[in-house]
Amino acid sequence: MLRQAKIAALGLLRSVGCFELVANSQWRRQRLLILCYHGTSLSDEHQWRPRLYMSPQQLDQRLESIERLRCSVLPLDDALQRLKARALPPRSVAITFDDGTYDFYKQAYPLLRKRGFPVTVYQTTYYSDYQAPVFNLICSYMLWKKRNDRLAPVPELGLNEPLDLRTEASRHRIVRALIERSERDKLTGADKNNIAEQLAGALGIDYATLSASRILQLMNAQEVAEIARNGVDVQLHTHRHRTPEEEASFRREITDNRSRIQALTGKSASHFCYPSGIYREQFFGWLKSEHVNSATTCDAGLASHKNNPYLLPRFVDTSGRTQLEYESWLSGVGSMLAVRRVAPQQYVLPED
Ligand SMILES: [Zn+2]
């Protein structure tokens, strides 16, 4: 009800010219909208995880709005320097994609390139070295594909109860059990890929074909190098998609990630995005020691020059947002009306 009332209010505000007024205001001019995306579906991923995936058609519609509303799309580094210097152009926007999945290369990047929009990819590197689907995601996706089924136990995977795939909660329990078992047995990436393959067998899914489609995989080294050559800005997201709470391990995540990125792109990365949007105050000093210039969160807002550079808010765009809500954020009205600013921290792509 609250959401419907908000959407009705947004519609009214737009119809009386409020979006345009705010979009052209000094207030908006001093702020930067950093857009955050995750995946762009190769197939039906947006139906499985609407908060993580968007169809390419919907993404293209979003990019069309940026053009139609005459937003200034800036490369992230340039945008942050101008933000600091209070020299942003009107309606400024920076576009970021988290994780660096293969679907960015295949689906999102051609759409961005068509419009000439600069983009930053926060690349996590472990799975781009090790090419296989991300374990927990592929298990979850395969169970969802069989969401009308109830199957016999699979004792060789430690699943001793019948598999009821008809609810989100019971599918989640199965994924948790598989993850816990792999953690307990300290399984390698290859071992976990074998488990995913066995699960596929039990579900009647052709795992070889699924893997070959590159669904839920990261870009490989050649793909990262290629997009970087073509102007995509590749930045830090930790090597193993995690933020340890102990300084040496945290800093190793940055240095490992940075050296992999440097090897692939020939450039030194200095902008960071917190994996899963999770941050702690002690991270700020560690990032500074690693000469990281900025860090983005999944907390909602427009960035202003007053922001701590290690706590830059973004607008996390998902399939569930209407075009009206999205355009309210481009104008700035959405930020003024945002109710919940701190992210629920649910964009989890667990580490190896
Ligand atoms: Zn991530």
Side-chain angles (χ1 to χ4, degrees), residues 243-297:
T243 42
E245 306 225 346
E246 186 266 318
E247 182 175 357
S249 312
F250 180 97
R251 291 179 66 172
R252 192 161 54 243
E253 283 297 333
I254 303 289
T255 52
D256 286 354
N257 192 208
R258 181 181 267 149
S259 64
R260 287 299 298 143
I261 290 173
Q262 170 108 39
L264 299 176
T265 68
K267 293 179 192 136
S268 182
S270 63
H271 296 287
F272 177 70
C273 166
Y274 298 102
S276 312
I278 295 167
Y279 54 82
R280 310 265 179 266
E281 211 175 324
Q282 66 263 32
F283 296 166
F284 308 158
W286 303 344
L287 289 168
K288 195 162 189 214
S289 305
E290 288 299 333
H291 307 289
V292 171
N293 295 329
S294 78
T296 50
T297 66

Side-chain angles (χ1 to χ4, degrees), residues 53-86:
Y53 273 83
M54 184 178 276
S55 71
Q57 293 75 14
Q58 193 174 9
L59 178 65
D60 199 38
Q61 204 182 9
R62 301 305 210 217
L63 301 180
E64 189 276 326
S65 299
I66 293 178
E67 248 174 25
R68 182 167 34 83
L69 299 174
R70 293 174 296 116
C71 295
S72 312
V73 186
L74 301 171
L76 182 69
D77 187 73
D78 184 28
L80 293 177
Q81 287 188 41
R82 285 169 180 250
L83 177 67
K84 208 166 150 192
R86 303 200 204 183

Side-chain angles (χ1 to χ4, degrees), residues 36-289:
C36 163
Y37 292 93
H38 289 85
T40 312
S41 301
L42 293 171
S43 167
D44 52 4
E45 300 95 302
H46 56 286
Q47 290 165 16
W48 160 65
R49 287 272 174 103
R51 287 175 180 275
L52 206 57
Y53 273 83
M54 184 178 276
S55 71
Q57 293 75 14
Q58 193 174 9
L59 178 65
D60 199 38
Q61 204 182 9
R62 301 305 210 217
L63 301 180
E64 189 276 326
S65 299
I66 293 178
E67 248 174 25
R68 182 167 34 83
L69 299 174
R70 293 174 296 116
C71 295
S72 312
V73 186
L74 301 171
L76 182 69
D77 187 73
D78 184 28
L80 293 177
Q81 287 188 41
R82 285 169 180 250
L83 177 67
K84 208 166 150 192
R86 303 200 204 183
L88 285 169
R91 303 171 291 281
S92 54
V93 171
I95 304 174
T96 67
F97 278 74
D98 290 9
D99 306 324
T101 43
Y102 170 73
D103 54 75
F104 172 83
Y105 175 86
K106 179 76 179 167
Q107 305 285 57
Y109 179 53
L111 298 176
L112 291 152
R113 197 173 187 186
K114 181 179 79 180
R115 296 183 191 271
F117 287 164
V119 59
T120 291
V121 170
Y122 291 115
Q123 182 77 45
T124 187
T125 34
Y126 173 81
Y127 269 93
S128 60
D129 286 344
Y130 174 74
Q131 275 187 59
V134 177
F135 176 63
N136 69 316
L137 296 182
I138 197 71
C139 291
S140 167
Y141 177 73
M142 292 190 300
L143 294 170
W144 173 82
K145 289 295 267 184
K146 298 288 172 181
R147 60 195 175 279
N148 298 320
D149 293 1
R150 198 165 179 276
L151 301 174
V154 191
E156 60 273 29
L157 293 180
L159 303 171
N160 298 316
E161 305 289 325
L163 308 184
D164 185 353
L165 309 182
R166 294 170 300 181
T167 69
E168 169 100 45
S170 70
R171 292 193 299 270
H172 183 71
R173 273 195 297 278
I174 297 168
V175 176
R176 277 307 326 159
L178 293 170
I179 292 172
E180 278 162 21
R181 188 162 178 262
S182 67
E183 283 171 355
R184 189 195 60 214
D185 298 346
K186 296 192 169 29
L187 297 185
T188 63
D191 293 336
K192 287 197 285 192
N193 198 39
N194 286 337
I195 289 184
E197 192 170 358
Q198 283 180 58
L199 179 67
L203 296 171
I205 290 174
D206 178 351
Y207 193 67
T209 304
L210 196 61
S211 283
S213 77
R214 304 281 307 280
I215 197 166
L216 305 174
Q217 295 188 30
L218 294 190
M219 282 184 275
N220 65 30
Q222 293 75 24
E223 288 150 0
V224 176
E226 183 188 325
I227 60 162
R229 259 197 321 276
N230 290 331
V232 173
D233 175 41
V234 182
Q235 296 292 341
L236 304 163
H237 198 43
T238 75
H239 185 53
R240 289 168 178 266
H241 206 268
R242 63 181 173 196
T243 42
E245 306 225 346
E246 186 266 318
E247 182 175 357
S249 312
F250 180 97
R251 291 179 66 172
R252 192 161 54 243
E253 283 297 333
I254 303 289
T255 52
D256 286 354
N257 192 208
R258 181 181 267 149
S259 64
R260 287 299 298 143
I261 290 173
Q262 170 108 39
L264 299 176
T265 68
K267 293 179 192 136
S268 182
S270 63
H271 296 287
F272 177 70
C273 166
Y274 298 102
S276 312
I278 295 167
Y279 54 82
R280 310 265 179 266
E281 211 175 324
Q282 66 263 32
F283 296 166
F284 308 158
W286 303 344
L287 289 168
K288 195 162 189 214
S289 305

